[in-house]
Amino acid sequence: MAAPLVLGIVVAVTVRAVLYRSSLAGFISERVEVASPLNAWKRVVEGLALLDLGVSPYSGDVFHETPLIIYLFHFLIEYSELVFMITDVLTAVALYLAVQDFNKVVFKKQKLLMELDRYASDVAELIRTPMEMHYIPLKVALFYLLNPYTVMSCVAKSTCAINNTVIAFFILATIKGSTLLSAIFLALATYQSLYPLTLFAPALLYLLQREFIPVKLKSKGFWLYTTQYAALYLCSLVVIVCLSFFLLNSWDFIPSVYGFILSVPDLTPNIGLFWYFFAEMFEHFSLFFVCVFQINVFFYTIPLAVKLKEHPIFFLFVQLAIISIFKSYPTVGDVALYMAFLPLWSHLYRFLRNIFILSCVLIVCSLLFPVLWHLWIYAGSANSNFYYAITLTFNVGQILLISDYFYAFLRREYYLTHGLYLTRKDGTEAMLVLK
Amino acid sequence: MGLLSDPYRRRALSRLILRLNTPLCILSYLAGLGWFLGLASPPFTLRSYMSENAMGSTMVEEQFVFGERALSYAREFAGHKKKVGGIPVAWLEKTMWNLGLEVYKQPFSRTLPFPDEMRERYMVKGTNVYGILRAPRAASTESLVLSVPCSTGQPNSQAVGLMLALASCFRGQIYWAKDIIFLVNEHDLIGMEAWLEAYHDVNVTEVLSSGMQGRAGAIQAAVSLELSSDVITSFDVAVEGLNGQLPNLDLVNLFYAFCQKNGLLCTIQGKLQRTDWDTLPAYVHSLQTLLLMVLKQGSGRPQGDHGLFLRYHIEAITVRGINSFRQYKYDMGTVGKTLEGIFRKLNNLLERLHQSYFFFLLPSLARFVSIGVYMPACGFLILILVLKALDLWMKLSKCDAGPEEQLCDGDRGAGHAAAEESRPGLLTLVPPLLICHATGLTLYFLPVLGQHVATQHFPVSESEAVVLTVIAIYVAGLALPHNTHRVLTGCGSERGWMSLKLLSLLYLAMLLGCIALINFSLGFLLAITMVPVAAIVQPRGPKYLYAVLLVLVTPAVTLLLSIVLYQELIEYPISALECWQLFLQAVSEGLLDHYLYGSIVFPFIALFVYPCWLLLWNVLFWK
């Protein structure tokens, strides 16, 4: 199994190396879909230059990376291309190992439930076999490595790739059941881009499940474990933040990074939903609407946690997708991370309803982004409405894709317990309807 | 949402799509065609109006009286031009200097990728001369351009004369708020490109030119003037620029308004506007005008020197003086007054022209069709591809899921037959895709790279070699190994060609959608021809009929037919041989446009449309 992975890695690295040397690299790194104000490489270079001059990189309004990133590249600036290729490969390997482990867990759980006779009698075709699960880790890794979104993100040297690596390691640590590492990586991810904060819930649910602690609000073990995990998480977060403080000897980075993420002052067009809306709005409403927009990322966590209590990894996937849709400066690199998980749910394929239309919509939108950008910015003949229309379609496509997967997952679970061939009371074939 | 998630409604919808697929496709095609033909008639066209405030309410008073002086300048210029045998740089510099302009010259050179036989040029060397009239009341932050092409072949001395006379008239006026650049560019578009690149200090093509010494701020608008006789009967305006880009409609309106004010006749696409609107001959007339515009825009060529300005966000038109056999002639005084009025109005602009439309089609100068109205025509055509793709997808997924998943059931027979065969997987689609795109790459790179080899081995000139290589590769693409999947799986299956067709239909839909946004006319011309055949092609049934149809809709044949249609529309019918020569010329012009000015039509066809068409060819010969 390792050989195909290595082959995939070699291909992926070759593609990236070739693109770095080609004239496309400059073009890609200028694309607003790939590089946001938060993670554009140009801004990292600017921050480094300021740091070298002895000026705080956060003076001015250009640099919005965290202090750890700037110190990482302070030493590695010469090898930046290599760093980005390695982070991509690390992400893929982490996802590979995580999914491999998760598959074992799924298989064990399925076996247990079958022995306990929890499944209906006629669901044999829904039961997953080791044969079909064998290639899933490889597919996940390749889906991440060879996804054009990831490739572009890497070629543009968007630091989004590093955030993805941290999140992938967090997922790996969680699935392996290491509470400490999971908390540390979660803290790092939060420190990097704030929104992974919401991944706390799925990670906790998974770890609880792994420790066989029932999720009951009255049980003592549940609260004990939760407190422990939360304390670990908060402690590591405090340590990382303090470390950043000592690195630069100022708290400037807090408003410059987190304030920048939350209050959305930079309205450069991107693939997200924020820019157009806030560019059009009167200034004195903007605080209220920033709150409304930002709450989207955090809001869905609670209902999802209730509904997907038993399936924390699926919850994690949905939450990642929600982050990448509703975050304030999304890039295609974020989209690539959750898309890497799609092969993991390939058993839901038969329950998906709109996958064809939705994948067409997403591909068409990805192609129309540069076309409409050209018409708006270079040709000057179209305007921002054209571009925003595509942004909107792209996001609606993503939302429908996620809800399609969500619904398919629920449907499969329902079929597993109630039998595949449902009959109504009058004996005719029944059908599940989402209301 | 209900439609997407409610299985009952979905079932009804998918049944509808499966059962009524063919009628829906035919209906959609007719709707697209009908919509397009309807564009020339009143309910679709709007009366054009001036949107820009700065140019709207006040009419200016023109003072140009130097008509005679213009003619004497023209004669003098023609004499010097004949003497020098090219652009008389020294004379122009001296004359402009005497008029009180800041004069600069800009030498440039460009080696063409292969000789241009029509204009007889290969290694081009030339000089642009331009004079700047500094505005007395502003800080040289904005400017307007009046450009006049001057080439050895084309007589354009009256335009130079008029330009110089206008410069002397403008010099005496005090209300200029924008600098005015008077530019004489040699070697028409090449010189224009060199000047624009130097002015904006960029190098997007391979023109070599010296740096620019004098500038006059951001150019707001430009007018390119072509005159070849002392008196004119009418003005013709050309709007189509590089890659089908158009100037803001307000500039065209401005030109039209001043022509009307001075009682000048003006035409578009060489067609005079009719006064009646609701009769059949009037409709046919405006449809012809519209079709001419679509053909010209679809070619992606700049239809005048203004075409290159548009890339730099500068609104520009080309104005051509025509001297035909009409009774009433206008002298240089009237022509000068019209141009003065246009410049006075442009001088009043407070910001760039942006209020009016950028995407439009003109069935006449007084009426226009906006993007929201013409886009559905293309939308209906692309809808056919989507419907067909959905149909194929449902058939394919039915064989996948087998009989138990019956969310969408249509004709069961086909589904079962296909389900019995083995699943070839997506791997079979990779070789055709690669081969087709490799052919496309060859078509793009080989002709220009291999021209020297070709001239050594065959008795042809370089440009003939390039054109003939293009055609040879194009035709050779048809004979490529089209059944690579048999090596992989042993035998092709029903699923194989269905997935290949699905892929190519989606690919085609995507290409047409993207290009229709950039250049509607090109997208529409390709869609109206390729879509119906792409929708019906399959390896079963009357194979040879399909093959003939498919060859008839290949982009090359579309080009040939467009040439015939164009000649019919300008009422200049040609014989088959002439048509073939024009076709060869069009191919070489297309390549030159790409290499010289960065037109995207040739690479778009060679790298994307042609491979996509080859995929359809593959579907047809799937065994």
Side-chain angles (χ1 to χ4, degrees), chain A residues 125 349-350 353-354 356 360 363-364 367-368 371 375 377-382 400 421 424 431-433, chain B residues 1 4-5 7-8 10-11 245 311 313 358-359 371 389-390 393 404-405 407 502 506 510 514 517-518:
Chain A
E125 47 191 297
Y349 178 75
R350 55 181 292 170
R353 307 209 134 154
N354 304 315
F356 174 66
C360 287
I363 294 171
V364 166
L367 286 175
L368 284 182
V371 169
L375 285 181
I377 300 297
Y378 294 98
S381 37
L400 288 179
Y421 300 104
R424 285 205 203 111
M431 202 176 271
L432 288 183
V433 179
Chain B
M1 214 32 223
L4 291 174
S5 59
Y8 295 105
R10 276 178 66 89
R11 189 190 280 182
Q245 214 183 330
R311 176 160 42 180
H313 269 221
F358 283 97
F359 295 102
I371 179 169
L390 272 175
W393 172 259
E404 76 272 348
E405 180 85 358
L407 278 178
L502 176 67
L506 290 176
M510 232 142 52
C514 286
L517 279 172
I518 295 174

Side-chain angles (χ1 to χ4, degrees), chain B residues 233-246:
Chain B
T233 52
S234 62
F235 258 145
D236 187 53
V237 59
V239 287
E240 303 86 358
L242 185 67
N243 293 330
Q245 214 183 330
L246 299 171

Side-chain angles (χ1 to χ4, degrees), chain B residues 478-512:
Chain B
L478 308 187
L480 280 173
H482 290 303
N483 283 311
T484 42
H485 55 93
R486 295 169 82 181
V487 184
L488 283 173
T489 55
C491 66
S493 64
E494 194 81 346
R495 292 183 52 87
W497 74 260
M498 275 158 87
S499 7
L500 186 64
K501 187 175 170 187
L502 176 67
L503 181 81
S504 42
L505 286 184
L506 290 176
Y507 190 31
L508 185 63
M510 232 142 52
L511 289 178
L512 292 177

Side-chain angles (χ1 to χ4, degrees), chain A residues 132-150:
Chain A
E132 62 176 42
M133 285 159 77
H134 185 64
Y135 286 106
I136 287 177
L138 183 69
K139 278 186 196 163
V140 169
L142 292 185
F143 234 66
Y144 184 77
L145 273 179
L146 300 178
N147 190 337
Y149 289 158
T150 325

